[in-house]
Structure formats: structure tokens, C-alpha cells
Amino acid sequence: MPELPEVETVVQGLKKQCLSQPICKALIHLPRIVNGTAPSLKKALVGQEIVTVTRHGKYIFLHISNDKTVVVHLRMTGQLFTTPVDRAKDKHTHVELFFDNSDTKLIYRDIRTFGRFTLINTSDKERYLIDHKLGPDALTMKKKDLIEALKNRKVSIKAALLNQEVIAGIGNIYVDEILFREKLNPLTTPSSLSDDAIGSILKTTKAVLKKAVLNKGTTFSDYVNSYGEKGKFQLSLKAYNRAGQPCSNCKTTIVKVKVAGRGTYFCPSCQKL
DNA sequence: CTGTTTACCTGGGGGC
DNA sequence: TGCCCCCAGGTAAACA
């Protein structure tokens, strides 16, 4: 589900909803979504509060008031949102956080249960980024760093942009949107691109991701923000999930193929190899 | 070392 | 209605 714009939308919402509220109870209904042990995570949370929430790529960092940080990754179908405290949980709700004096609780829902919670020491955050091979965040990456990261890559441009070590935050929806707007075939070899072409890719990447953030992300089935609301950027997609529909530039039919093991949508006329 | 495939899960949709 | 197969916003482990 969630790529950078969806994760950023969740983070912005959580900062408005959940900061500086003492956590009085934590329920972890599905312990296997926790890296480490559920009891140690629960112990770290209860009696503390969320001091701030940050993001790098698709990773969410809940900084807790005891110098601990809970790293949350939503993977495909994870949802982090608030709901009334008295609303009964359904079978896909795996974590519930209750706050003092609040009529809402923060819950984690995940149909496919790929998402993970990890407890780290806040001082180990940089180490965590390195260990998980996360490159610069897509919204702040510098042109020269993308040029360097793409140098000597033998994979397709699509695979390279999906590689979180190259650039963090792009996923399967937005990579297709970026390549469509750049008129680049997904199979293009990165080494064939000029420095200016790479600069253009980065500029388009930031523009697409920022516009998606303003639209509160893209919802196809499961994604909701921290208020439980769907995104709207699916209305602005030009390539992803548009197989059989006319290209917005040339009216050629958008096709779907498989690149880098992922469903890939592109215009065979505008995005020639 | 780099690149590719598979495994992890549940559910929705299409074909029959 | 039901069964079977394929597909899905991601990543890490296993494999070549």
C-alpha cells in the first residue's frame, strides 16, 4: 500500500493527533508483527508518550519519551489510524494504544500482516538506516547523489528507482508515474542516461511525490491515513492501473507488462526504449 | 558482489 | 455458488 506520500500523510496526521499524550495501555494481539518481543515493546510504551514522529522513505519513527523509538513499516496493507476507544477491534487489528484522557485510541490494522514494529534506542536510528540499506529520502535527495547511485547499475531504471538503497520512498505506483512523465521506458539502462536526464528524473520524482502528498496519497484498496480516510491521488494517475485506457498525451493504449518482477504500466508510444 | 526469485499473508476478481 | 488461479502500494532471505 504505502509509498512515501502515504507514509508522509500518516506521519503528518499522527503529529497532530498523538503527541504528548501519556500511553496508559498497549495491546499487542499478534506478537509476530513485532521484531523482538511483544512484552518488551509494550513495556517501553506504557507510561511514556510519543515525543515526535518522523519518516525516512517508507519507514515511520515514533520517538518515545524514554529515549526509545518504535520503527513501523506498513509494507503492503498496514494501517495506522485513530478510532474511538469504545469501538470493538476487528480480526485485522493487531495493536491498540490507549492514551490517558483521550476518547480515541491509535490502532494498527494489517490484512496481510507483512508490516512490522521494531523497538530501538533512539541513539541507534542512524545505525538502523545503514543496516537496512536505506539511501537518501526521495524528497531531499541531491542530484549528484542520484547520479552517483545510478552509476554502474546494470538493472533497469525501474528496478533502480525501486531499490531503496538508491533512493528511499519510491514504490510501484509512483515509479510508473515518474517514468511516464519523464517519457522513459521502464527497461531503460541507467548508464545510458546523461547527468541532466538524471537531474530531470529527480525533479519529476519530487514533483510527483509532493503532489501526491497534497492529495493525501493514493488509495486502491487498503490505504487510509491516520484519520482513517482514503487518499485522492488515484484520480491523478496517468499510467499505474490504466492498462487499456488511452495515454493522456497521445491516446495510444496504455499497456501492462512485467518489469523487475512487478506489474508495470506504460505508454508504448511515449515511452519508447 | 550483484541481480533475480521466493517467501511471507489475506482477500478480491476472473474464468469455468 | 464454489473452486482454482492469479494478482496486489514491500522487503528480506535464499538462490544463481
Side-chain angles (χ1 to χ4, degrees):
Chain A
M1 134 168 89
E3 304 179 33
L4 187 152
E6 291 74 37
V7 175
E8 174 63 21
T9 303
V10 168
V11 167
Q12 287 179 8
L14 292 178
K15 283 160 83 169
K16 289 180 185 164
Q17 297 175 284
C18 300
L19 299 189
S20 307
Q21 298 186 69
I23 297 164
C24 57
K25 186 167 66 166
L27 299 178
I28 299 169
H29 306 292
L30 186 65
R32 69 176 161 75
I33 66 156
V34 179
N35 288 321
T37 71
S40 62
L41 174 60
K42 197 184 280 198
K43 202 168 155 186
L45 287 167
V46 175
Q48 305 296 324
E49 54 190 55
I50 300 170
V51 176
T52 185
V53 184
T54 61
R55 176 193 65 71
H56 187 104
K58 305 169 193 171
Y59 288 78
I60 298 168
F61 297 88
L62 304 172
H63 298 267
I64 309 302
S65 53
N66 53 358
D67 296 324
K68 301 283 185 183
T69 291
V70 178
V71 187
V72 181
H73 198 299
L74 306 172
R75 293 286 183 96
M76 294 288 265
T77 53
Q79 305 171 323
L80 206 49
F81 63 99
T82 60
T83 190
V85 279
D86 53 2
R87 182 166 304 172
K89 74 167 197 73
D90 70 0
K91 66 172 176 175
H92 298 301
T93 300
H94 310 309
V95 176
E96 296 177 281
L97 286 191
F98 297 85
F99 302 95
D100 289 348
N101 310 316
S102 176
D103 54 3
T104 61
K105 59 185 174 184
L106 177 62
I107 71 167
Y108 179 70
R109 255 189 112 241
D110 191 346
I111 292 172
R112 293 173 73 182
T113 68
F114 290 165
R116 289 293 180 270
F117 280 55
T118 307
L119 180 67
I120 64 171
N121 293 317
T122 299
S123 58
D124 292 335
K125 186 180 161 189
E126 290 309 310
R127 172 88 264 160
Y128 185 90
L129 297 181
I130 293 165
D131 287 347
H132 288 74
K133 300 188 173 187
L134 283 187
D137 187 84
L139 285 184
T140 51
M141 190 170 193
K142 298 282 186 282
K143 176 181 171 183
K144 66 171 172 50
D145 292 326
L146 187 57
I147 291 167
E148 183 62 29
L150 290 179
K151 200 159 68 180
N152 302 326
R153 293 252 165 215
K154 300 268 193 291
V155 296
S156 63
I157 187 65
K158 167 142 181 172
L161 294 176
L162 282 174
N163 184 342
Q164 304 299 297
E165 191 174 3
V166 170
I167 179 169
I170 301 172
N172 202 40
I173 292 178
Y174 296 106
V175 70
D176 281 3
E177 294 302 304
I178 292 160
L179 294 176
F180 176 89
R181 284 162 174 78
E182 283 291 297
K183 294 182 160 57
L184 276 176
N185 187 285
L187 290 173
T188 303
T189 306
S191 60
S192 72
L193 298 166
S194 67
D195 287 2
D196 280 352
I198 293 173
S200 178
I201 291 172
L202 187 56
K203 200 172 171 184
T204 294
T205 295
K206 291 178 181 178
V208 168
L209 297 179
K210 282 179 187 170
K211 189 178 171 196
V213 171
L214 291 177
N215 282 270
K216 302 191 186 305
T218 299
T219 297
F220 271 102
S221 52
D222 303 300
Y223 167 70
V224 293
N225 65 23
S226 69
Y227 298 88
E229 304 161 339
K230 294 172 187 259
K232 292 187 170 65
F233 196 70
Q234 60 275 17
L235 302 172
S236 299
L237 296 176
K238 295 176 186 292
Y240 187 83
N241 210 35
R242 294 197 69 242
Q245 295 178 240
C247 167
S248 58
N249 296 328
C250 72
K251 311 304 175 203
T252 299
T253 303
I254 300 288
V255 298
K256 182 183 182 186
V257 297
K258 189 159 280 213
V259 175
R262 314 292 300 274
T264 299
Y265 303 85
F266 73 107
C267 171
S269 178
C270 295
Q271 296 171 267
K272 284 199 167 72
L273 199 53

